[in-house]
Amino acid sequence: MIYLNELKELVLLHSQAQGISFDYSKSILEKITSEEGNQPGSWVYEWSKDAPALQKKARWLESAQLYNLARFPFIKSAAHIEAHQACINSFQQWLLTKPNTQKIEIKTPQGTFKTYFTSGSEQKKRPLLVVCGGIVSIKEQWAAFIENADTLGMAIALVEMPGVGENEIVYSPTAWKMFSALLDRLSQLADVNNTYFVALSFSGHMAIQSAIGDRRIQGITTASAPIHDFFSDRQWWNQVPITTKRTLAHLMGIDIEIEDLFSAISPMALTQTQLKSLAIPLNYIFSLRDEIIPISEKRFLQQHTSKLNLKEFNDVHGSPNHMKEFKFWILLSLLKNRHSLALKAQLFRTVLFILQTKRIFKLGGQNA
């Protein structure tokens, strides 16, 4: 039950990020008594049971969201496989309504992965925005970036971390090389010499590794990304949630029961020298009560990163209680690095300030 309870807490962050109401999510979670199987009361069944009705109404994105949460946090059974494929099918039906958008398979020596790519409404090579979630996030949940390609004035590539969704690469200390392979493949479709990343959680760590050696990457926006101490502090590792450990073990092809999972991830710790060589802006959202990423990572970043733009929320992993501010800050970080979009950046600064002010007043009223 400890694992199931952790899943229920973690999935609320991901459902809110996709715009699914808290009340609806809670109503589903109350019915779930097991993470196994595909019968009433099981994780897959309860999350996916409303999806077919949405498909019949051609509400493709909404059905894809539910199937996504049904296969959460990773694909380990026949029921998960079925839910994941249904998610992909629904998403691709939605994708048919989007011009200049395609699914591309990329083969590397490490394995094969896929990307959804769009150039927006214009048939020209735009600066590239790569969007990647963390160890439990599939590419199908980032549809909003495809919808806003023209607003951002960028080409968009949605990808997954190694071992997640349709990415067949094994998560390892060299898995970050997939990002350079992605840029190579898209070089004829986008201006990859001006590439930006929104890479959340563990993919943010990979994006930093890639940017250190790949000068085509001009900026990174991340949140709750492990940097050094997560991979090197054994005492912290001992209290990391079991959901995180099980998922990492799955992505790395390691038996969760063996004791050397920590040893397997330790080589991934970024060094002071590596961070100091990062010559591009690093926009980082830090959750001050993060149960996965240690607070010491913030100090490590501040000491060794020259172009750090840090945003803090007094919240748990992923800052689920600050989702509006979280999303606006990500957009702001993208826009402010694009000089041609300075006016839009100022607009988003204003909106973000209003959102934060409302929260301060709300909290003040509660404490009065």
Side-chain angles (χ1 to χ4, degrees):
M1 287 299 293
I2 294 177
Y3 178 56
L4 180 59
N5 289 337
E6 277 191 9
L7 280 183
K8 289 182 177 183
E9 291 180 9
L10 182 59
V11 80
L12 284 173
L13 162 64
H14 292 270
S15 64
Q16 288 178 75
Q18 295 181 76
I20 299 174
S21 76
F22 178 83
D23 289 341
Y24 179 75
S25 297
K26 287 290 287 185
S27 70
I28 291 177
L29 293 175
E30 287 171 358
K31 300 172 186 176
I32 296 175
T33 57
S34 172
E35 73 271 16
E36 302 289 344
N38 193 13
Q39 65 285 340
S42 71
W43 185 274
V44 174
Y45 178 90
E46 297 299 343
W47 275 113
S48 61
K49 69 177 182 180
D50 291 342
L54 293 170
Q55 289 178 315
K56 289 180 180 179
K57 297 177 182 179
R59 292 163 65 176
W60 303 114
L61 274 187
E62 292 169 86
S63 63
Q65 289 172 342
L66 293 182
Y67 282 126
N68 172 23
L69 297 177
R71 62 88 230 164
F72 186 92
F74 56 85
I75 302 162
K76 63 176 181 177
S77 68
H80 286 105
I81 293 172
E82 184 178 348
H84 181 232
Q85 190 57 55
C87 174
I88 292 171
N89 293 343
S90 283
F91 189 85
Q92 292 188 157
Q93 286 295 319
W94 173 79
L95 216 60
L96 293 176
T97 67
K98 301 301 171 184
N100 303 327
T101 304
Q102 58 185 306
K103 189 175 187 179
I104 301 172
E105 183 176 87
I106 300 166
K107 296 182 178 180
T108 77
Q110 297 169 293
T112 300
F113 67 98
K114 297 177 182 178
T115 180
Y116 295 117
F117 173 83
T118 184
S119 56
S121 62
E122 298 183 25
Q123 293 279 9
K124 68 176 184 179
K125 294 173 70 172
R126 287 174 162 178
L128 178 65
L129 173 62
V130 177
V131 182
C132 187
I135 59 177
V136 296
S137 302
I138 58 177
K139 60 189 179 301
E140 285 77 15
Q141 70 187 67
W142 307 115
F145 285 95
I146 289 179
E147 290 184 308
N148 288 286
D150 288 336
T151 300
L152 293 169
M154 306 178 82
I156 309 294
L158 310 183
V159 294
E160 293 151 323
M161 275 192 60
V164 177
E166 294 186 289
N167 191 329
E168 299 174 3
I169 298 172
V170 174
Y171 185 45
S172 71
T174 60
W176 57 269
K177 294 180 179 179
M178 64 164 277
F179 286 140
S180 290
L182 174 69
L183 302 195
D184 292 343
R185 177 65 177 81
L186 298 180
S187 61
Q188 299 303 310
L189 301 173
D191 178 13
V192 297
N193 289 321
N194 286 289
T195 294
Y196 297 83
F197 272 78
V198 171
L200 305 178
S201 193
F202 284 78
S203 71
H205 170 261
M206 288 176 55
I208 293 171
Q209 288 178 295
S210 185
I212 289 170
D214 194 328
R215 300 305 178 188
R216 294 174 293 184
I217 302 172
Q218 302 300 314
I220 297 170
T221 296
T222 188
S224 298
I227 302 296
H228 176 82
D229 289 359
F230 175 87
F231 300 105
S232 59
D233 186 338
R234 168 72 77 169
Q235 185 175 356
W236 178 264
W237 173 258
N238 290 337
Q239 60 89 59
V240 169
I242 188 63
T243 304
T244 302
K245 292 177 179 178
R246 285 192 179 187
T247 305
L248 284 171
H250 173 77
L251 303 188
M252 300 182 75
I254 295 175
D255 186 347
I256 187 62
E257 300 303 326
I258 65 175
E259 296 182 356
D260 63 359
L261 177 58
F262 181 75
S263 298
I265 69 165
S266 293
M268 298 186 189
L270 291 169
T271 66
Q272 298 178 16
T273 301
Q274 285 176 307
L275 275 186
K276 288 178 179 178
S277 69
L278 186 69
I280 61 173
L282 175 62
N283 307 291
Y284 190 113
I285 299 175
F286 199 93
S287 299
L288 295 174
R289 291 183 285 115
D290 201 311
E291 68 277 21
I292 297 174
I293 307 303
I295 190 72
S296 55
E297 297 286 40
K298 185 182 79 167
R299 294 191 295 272
F300 194 83
L301 282 167
Q302 290 172 321
Q303 292 171 357
H304 306 299
T305 308
S306 61
K307 295 185 178 181
L308 177 66
N309 181 22
L310 187 67
K311 178 64 179 178
E312 298 178 19
F313 291 119
N314 184 17
D315 209 340
V316 297
H317 186 75
S319 296
N321 298 304
H322 296 78
M323 195 53 63
K324 288 183 179 179
E325 298 100 315
F326 185 100
K327 291 179 179 179
F328 270 103
W329 197 86
I330 287 176
L331 289 173
L332 176 61
S333 73
L334 292 171
L335 295 173
K336 73 180 183 180
N337 289 330
R338 306 279 316 288
H339 299 301
S340 62
L341 296 175
L343 186 59
K344 289 183 180 179
Q346 183 58 48
L347 173 62
F348 275 100
R349 284 193 188 96
T350 303
V351 173
L352 182 61
F353 173 77
I354 293 171
L355 286 169
Q356 291 174 327
T357 302
K358 282 185 176 180
R359 178 172 294 279
I360 290 170
F361 287 147
K362 181 179 180 181
L363 292 176
Q366 290 173 344
N367 294 329

